Structure formats: structure tokens, C-alpha cells
Amino acid sequence: MGTDVIKCRAAVAWEPSKPLVMEEIEVAPPQAHEIRIKIVATGVCHTDLYHLFEGKHKDGFPCVLGHEGAGIVESVGSEVTKFNPGDKVIPLFISQCGQCRFCKSPKTNLASDRYDVMSESDTRFTCKGKKVLQFMGTSTFSEYTVVNEIAVAKIHPSAPLDKVCLLGCGVATGYGAALNTAKVEPGSTCAVFGLGAVGLAAVMGCKNAGAKRIIAIDINPTKYEKAKIFGATEFVNPKDHNKPISQVLHEMTNGGVDFSLECVGNVAVMRSALESCVKGWGVSVLVGWTDMDDFAARPIQLIAGRTWKGSLFGGFKSKDGVPKLVNEYLEKKVKLDEFVTHNMTLAQVNDAIQLMQTGDCIRSVLSVALQ
């Protein structure tokens, strides 16, 4: 254990826009400061699909996708002192070294990592004699993965891994965008654009922050019942109106919302979300991940007192924030079970991807390796 190469099953993305292929891969032992993790469960997030179908950087393949997982430490490399085999953990796509100027600043949760490269060239995976890249440093669509200790959170031993895996990306991202980045205030009016897992988590964040009105916006009317569970008070379908959604919201709210969160990853929706805010103090947060197109708005929108800002991983410093979120779930302060609409196996990953593409799921959780 710990010094041997492990052979295991993984879903490999050999090239962009093609189905993932279940393969036997080799997972090297952890090196200094690294941890080898048995992945028990993983969510399927839109960012996995973004890399596969939209970003399609040819240098980012072949790779093993997945970045919203939870598992158990199998072995640790040299100089790892804070983790032991058997610990329950969540791998993190944002590291927290505690030493760099970003980690030392209370103003950000970013680290010194690069965000323009989704699959680093350094990897512990091989398959059929070829190097296979690790997606966002994690690669949870594999029974085993190797992650640097600065990108692993140790969590409560009683945490159910098939639920808390969602805190590795989607739920933490939306929830924190409302609480930490927008800093939603009690009694305020909020609008959330896009009701996938990230958007529903943003709704939950607005609710827990004490917002009075939470307007949920989506072109899929079936999402409203789900949004109500998380605290939405109203629902608007842009397709039901023959005028811009920002105008609809201005009329509903006497001039615009206090806070808006864009949870789609679409630059046109980002503009709508900004324009839906009230002048003077409205805050709009970009939460949906995209790096494909420029975004734009008229300068007067900001000159008139609106703020436009972005949020990555909900503003949570990863190693500090994720264990606290797990505890909040165990204390029933944060919902997770309600996000899971489909439970599947890793071998069904292409079905899970299709469900997300068609909008027929909130989150599919895949069981990966047996506990």
C-alpha cells in the first residue's frame, strides 16, 4: 500500500466532444506531499461538460474528468503529516497552501494556481502506455486519484460521501456566491439566473442570508418547484415575456433587485443580470463558468452605482471552508440531499452527461469505488 502502482477503472476522455470510455488505468504512488485517494462518489458538474464540449483545448486531452468528488485516503506520500489512510476527504480544485500572498489575504480564496489551464501536464495517470492528464488537479471519474495535500480537505468521519461530494464544487460555488461574494443582506430582494445545482445553491444562500424576495429565473418551468424547496419566493420564465427580463424584473421590484447572481455561464445572461439590478447599490455576481466570449455592458450601468463582480468556488478558502460546510450539512443548516436527482454508477457517466445536457437533472451522483 502506498508504494505500488494501482490498476483501476476510470472514465477516460480521449478527445473533445466524444463519449468517455471506461478503461483500466495505472495510478502511480503518491510522491512527496501527495495523497492517493479512493474516490467513493462524484457529482457530474457542468464544468466537466464545458471542458469536453465547449473549451475543447486539444492540449487538455486525453484526461480523466470529474472534480466534485469525495473519498477515503488510501495512502500518503512522504512529508504528509496531517492525513492518514482511512480519513474521509474531499479533493479540491482550488488549493490552499497557506503560504502564498493569496492564501494570506482575507480578500480572496484564490491560490497561486493557474485558472487558464484545466488539465496540467503533470499527472499520476497512464493508460495503454500513454500519459492521461488530471482534470483541475482532481480527476474524480476514477476509482483512485492522486492529489497534492494542499488541495485536499479532511472532513467529518460520519459524513455521507455520496452527498458531501457536492460540496467539492457546485453547492459550495452557488451558496458562497450569495453569502461571501454578493454578501446578500437581510430583507433584500435577489434574483438568481439559472436553476441548476449552482443556481439552486445560490437560492439557498440568499434564503440563509435572510433575503425577503428571491426571484428564480429559468427557461425550464419544471425547475420552479425545486427552487421553492431551497427558498425561492417567485419564478420568472423569460420565454413568457416579450420584453427583456431586466425590464420585467424592474417592474416587479420597483426599479431593480438589490442582488443578482448569474449561474449559467452565458455572457448575454450576465448582462441581463447586471441590468436587472437597482441603480445606486445593486450588486451582480458572475458565478457560471465560461472563458469563451467577451462580456459587455454600457458604462452607465456601473457609473450609476451598480457593482459587477465574479466568484470562484463561492469565495470559500477551500481547505478551511469545505469541512465547515460538511459540518453545516450534518447540522441540517445546509441542504444537499435535495440536489441529487439521479444516483448512478461510474460506468453510466455518459448517461449522466446526457441528462445534464438536456436539463433533465439537477445533480447526478455516481458511485465510483466501494467503501
Side-chain angles (χ1 to χ4, degrees):
M1 186 169 107
T3 56
D4 300 328
V5 171
I6 287 179
K7 290 187 175 181
C8 70
R9 302 280 288 165
V12 177
W14 286 105
E15 52 187 314
S17 301
K18 294 286 172 65
L20 308 189
V21 182
M22 291 302 297
E23 304 277 14
E24 183 180 78
I25 68 167
E26 296 83 39
V27 182
Q31 298 181 10
H33 297 291
E34 292 180 346
I35 299 171
R36 189 158 60 183
I37 302 167
K38 175 161 75 168
I39 298 294
V40 173
T42 181
V44 179
C45 171
H46 188 267
T47 310
D48 300 311
L49 277 66
Y50 173 87
H51 185 68
L52 189 61
F53 297 111
E54 295 174 50
K56 298 197 282 196
H57 297 292
K58 64 180 189 310
D59 296 340
F61 296 87
C63 71
V64 173
L65 295 170
H67 63 284
E68 192 178 80
I72 296 167
V73 174
E74 178 269 337
S75 59
V76 299
S78 62
E79 299 179 59
V80 175
T81 58
K82 293 181 178 171
F83 295 86
N84 294 295
D87 286 347
K88 285 188 177 181
V89 292
I90 291 178
L92 307 163
F93 68 88
I94 291 187
S95 60
Q96 186 186 348
C97 68
Q99 303 299 316
C100 70
R101 64 188 179 122
F102 297 101
C103 283
K104 286 179 175 175
S105 170
K107 296 177 180 177
T108 184
N109 66 325
L110 302 191
S112 301
D113 308 342
R114 291 173 64 192
Y115 295 101
D116 55 339
V117 179
M118 289 191 132
S119 296
E120 292 276 5
S121 57
D122 192 25
T123 179
R124 301 288 167 264
F125 293 163
T126 52
C127 181
K128 298 179 179 174
K130 293 191 177 117
K131 185 161 83 168
V132 176
L133 302 177
Q134 289 183 237
F135 181 63
M136 298 178 86
T138 53
S139 290
T140 57
F141 294 173
S142 172
E143 291 176 333
Y144 289 86
T145 189
V146 177
V147 182
N148 192 293
E149 65 175 332
I150 64 172
V152 180
K154 188 192 297 190
I155 60 170
H156 197 285
S158 70
L161 298 177
D162 61 340
K163 301 297 189 295
V164 298
C165 61
L166 302 184
L167 294 170
C169 183
V171 174
T173 294
Y175 186 66
L179 288 173
N180 303 327
T181 311
K183 293 184 166 63
V184 169
E185 296 166 0
S188 61
T189 296
C190 302
V192 176
F193 290 73
L195 300 176
V198 173
L200 292 171
V203 168
M204 178 169 69
C206 294
K207 169 92 173 357
N208 286 9
K212 185 177 178 185
R213 292 178 72 186
I214 303 169
I215 304 166
I217 300 144
D218 202 289
I219 55 174
N220 180 349
T222 64
K223 296 282 181 77
Y224 181 40
E225 288 306 313
K226 201 72 170 170
K228 277 203 281 197
I229 294 168
F230 293 99
T233 58
E234 295 147 83
F235 178 78
V236 178
N237 183 346
K239 288 186 170 178
D240 292 344
H241 301 272
N242 55 9
K243 52 188 160 190
I245 183 68
S246 56
Q247 195 177 330
V248 174
L249 290 170
H250 275 257
E251 290 168 6
M252 287 173 66
T253 59
N254 189 28
V257 301
D258 301 307
F259 301 96
S260 69
L261 297 111
E262 194 277 356
C263 301
V264 179
N266 178 303
V267 294
V269 181
M270 291 172 185
R271 180 170 187 160
S272 294
L274 175 71
E275 293 174 349
S276 299
C277 285
V278 69
K279 68 182 181 183
W281 61 78
V283 174
S284 188
V285 181
L286 314 185
V287 192
W289 175 273
T290 183
D291 193 26
M292 298 291 291
D293 304 297
D294 292 347
F295 68 123
R298 293 288 175 91
I300 190 66
Q301 295 288 338
L302 302 186
I303 292 168
R306 296 175 186 86
T307 301
W308 214 1
K309 60 204 296 196
S311 184
L312 188 64
F313 197 57
F316 289 109
K317 284 191 182 282
S318 57
K319 282 174 75 85
D320 295 341
V322 167
K324 289 177 185 168
L325 287 169
V326 169
N327 292 343
E328 286 184 27
Y329 165 70
L330 294 173
E331 293 160 7
K332 298 192 165 37
K333 293 175 184 170
V334 167
K335 291 179 165 68
L336 290 178
D337 303 38
E338 292 82 356
F339 288 95
V340 181
T341 51
H342 297 76
N343 288 287
M344 307 166 87
T345 65
L346 180 61
Q348 295 171 291
V349 63
N350 289 311
D351 297 335
I353 288 171
Q354 193 170 2
L355 281 169
M356 177 158 270
Q357 284 179 302
T358 55
D360 290 329
C361 75
I362 303 300
R363 263 301 184 268
S364 296
V365 172
L366 312 179
S367 59
V368 184
L370 296 174
Q371 266 181 268

